[in-house]
């Protein structure tokens, strides 16, 4: 059977349990290119577990993950990232005593300057690559509204600015799909609007996103399509506003409150 390569990401009957507890009960969903896809659900519904399975941090008990027509399940997180699937985390992982620009320049892979031999034998190539990476970093920082923070230490950034920096670092490696784990959790409401506008602009430039988020206003603003998890099952999928108004989705959220 030929795979549908028009689907950027395909999750097929993923099952994951921890001892006697079922976290994912045969989850299937798709992410298409050109749209922002949301993954929502009450606390404990399996969203983080699914993210960890997709990105190789957890191995499923059954099912398969396809990315651009290739199997991902069984691969390590670093190999999955090299295939063009980048995942952010809820907590900032950037070194706080390095500047924003220094953090950006950590992101590109296969840098000539990482090798002592390369630095000694090809200094001109190293300098050209470093200059090119710096120019690209400035362009990306400008796109996420952090250009004026390039020389700022990461420890001095607000929570929302750190989230934008994580996104900027992802863009440095030109991924085909970016998974964002609660990109506006704990962020100042004024900066939430900035993050939403950045994502919408990046979508127009051809970037693809799968987002886990609890802020429903943000979800309505940025997500074109939603998948809703509850107790390890996908209970609804479809266009955002239509899906949020479905009875089973409302009941799932009300039952948890």
């Amino acid at each position: 059977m030929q795979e549908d390569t028009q689907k950027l990401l395909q999750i097929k009957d993923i099952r994951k349990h921890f001892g006697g507890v079922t976290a994912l009960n045969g989850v299937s969903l798709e992410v298409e290119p050109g749209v922002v896809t949301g993954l929502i659900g009450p606390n404990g519904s399996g969203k983080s577990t699914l993210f960890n399975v997709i990105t190789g941090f957890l191995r499923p008990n059954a099912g398969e993950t396809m990315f651009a027509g290739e199997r991902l399940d069984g691969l390590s997180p670093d190999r999955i990232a090299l295939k063009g699937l980048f995942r952010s985390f809820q907590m900032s992982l950037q070194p706080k005593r390095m500047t924003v620009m220094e953090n950006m320049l950590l992101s590109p892979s296969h840098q000539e300057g990482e090798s002592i031999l390369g630095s000694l034998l090809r200094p001109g190539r190293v300098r050209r690559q470093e200059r090119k990476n710096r120019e690209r970093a400035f362009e990306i920082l400008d796109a996420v509204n952090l250009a004026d923070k390039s020389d700022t230490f990461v420890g001095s950034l607000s929570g929302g600015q750190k989230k934008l920096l994580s996104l900027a670092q992802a863009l440095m490696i030109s991924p085909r799909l970016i998974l964002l784990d609660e990109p506006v959790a704990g962020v100042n409401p004024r900066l939430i609007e900035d993050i939403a506008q950045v994502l919408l602009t990046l979508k127009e430039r051809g970037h693809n996103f799968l987002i886990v988020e609890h802020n429903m206003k943000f979800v309505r603003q940025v997500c074109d399509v939603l998948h809703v998890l509850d107790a390890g099952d996908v209970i609804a999928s479809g266009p955002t506003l239509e899906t949020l108004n479905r009875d089973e989705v409302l009941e799932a959220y009300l039952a948890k409150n």
Side-chain angles (χ1 to χ4, degrees), residues 100 137-151:
V100 167
F138 269 119
E139 291 175 0
I140 293 173
L141 288 173
D142 185 59
V144 302
N145 300 332
L146 288 179
D148 61 337
K149 302 292 184 181
S150 63
D151 294 324

Side-chain angles (χ1 to χ4, degrees), residues 4 7-8 11 36 43-45 64 77 88 97 104 113 131 139 144 153 158 170 176 184 229 249 252 256:
D4 184 357
K7 308 297 183 183
L8 189 57
I11 308 301
V36 177
N43 289 329
S45 61
E64 64 181 43
S88 74
R97 296 186 179 181
M104 290 290 287
R131 183 169 60 249
E139 291 175 0
V144 302
F153 287 108
S158 70
R176 299 183 65 181
V184 298
L229 281 177
V249 175
K256 304 295 181 180

Side-chain angles (χ1 to χ4, degrees), residues 179-209:
L179 279 61
L180 297 178
D181 194 354
E182 299 196 26
V184 298
V187 175
N188 182 291
R190 186 169 56 185
L191 194 52
I192 289 176
E193 179 64 27
D194 291 344
I195 293 175
Q197 292 304 318
V198 165
L199 289 178
L200 291 173
T201 298
L202 292 173
K203 170 196 165 186
E204 293 301 316
R205 295 180 182 179
H207 296 284
N208 301 295
F209 298 96

Side-chain angles (χ1 to χ4, degrees), residues 80-200:
I80 290 173
L82 288 173
K83 288 185 178 295
L85 195 156
F86 179 93
R87 181 256 177 93
S88 74
F89 294 86
Q90 294 181 29
M91 301 298 292
S92 170
L93 301 177
Q94 301 106 344
K96 296 180 180 180
R97 296 186 179 181
M98 295 179 67
T99 67
V100 167
M101 178 57 72
E102 288 169 341
N103 271 269
M104 290 290 287
L105 296 178
L106 289 175
S107 299
S109 58
H110 307 301
Q111 298 187 64
E112 296 278 354
E114 293 177 348
S115 162
I116 295 177
L117 190 61
S119 298
L120 291 174
L121 300 181
R122 296 182 291 272
R125 185 183 298 181
V126 170
R127 286 193 297 272
R128 287 192 297 273
Q129 186 182 58
E130 289 177 345
R131 183 169 60 249
K132 184 177 180 180
N133 285 340
R134 183 174 290 272
E135 290 171 354
R136 175 165 169 74
F138 269 119
E139 291 175 0
I140 293 173
L141 288 173
D142 185 59
V144 302
N145 300 332
L146 288 179
D148 61 337
K149 302 292 184 181
S150 63
D151 294 324
T152 301
F153 287 108
V154 169
S156 300
L157 299 179
S158 70
Q161 290 169 333
K162 290 176 182 176
K163 303 262 189 179
L164 286 170
L165 176 56
S166 293
L167 175 58
Q169 289 177 286
L171 295 172
M172 281 291 287
I173 60 174
S174 302
R176 299 183 65 181
L177 177 64
I178 301 175
L179 279 61
L180 297 178
D181 194 354
E182 299 196 26
V184 298
V187 175
N188 182 291
R190 186 169 56 185
L191 194 52
I192 289 176
E193 179 64 27
D194 291 344
I195 293 175
Q197 292 304 318
V198 165
L199 289 178
L200 291 173

Side-chain angles (χ1 to χ4, degrees), residues 235-253:
I235 61 170
S237 296
T240 297
L241 296 182
E242 174 187 312
T243 302
L244 287 175
N245 287 322
R246 290 175 62 170
D247 290 341
E248 57 267 40
V249 175
L250 296 172
E251 289 172 7
Y253 274 92

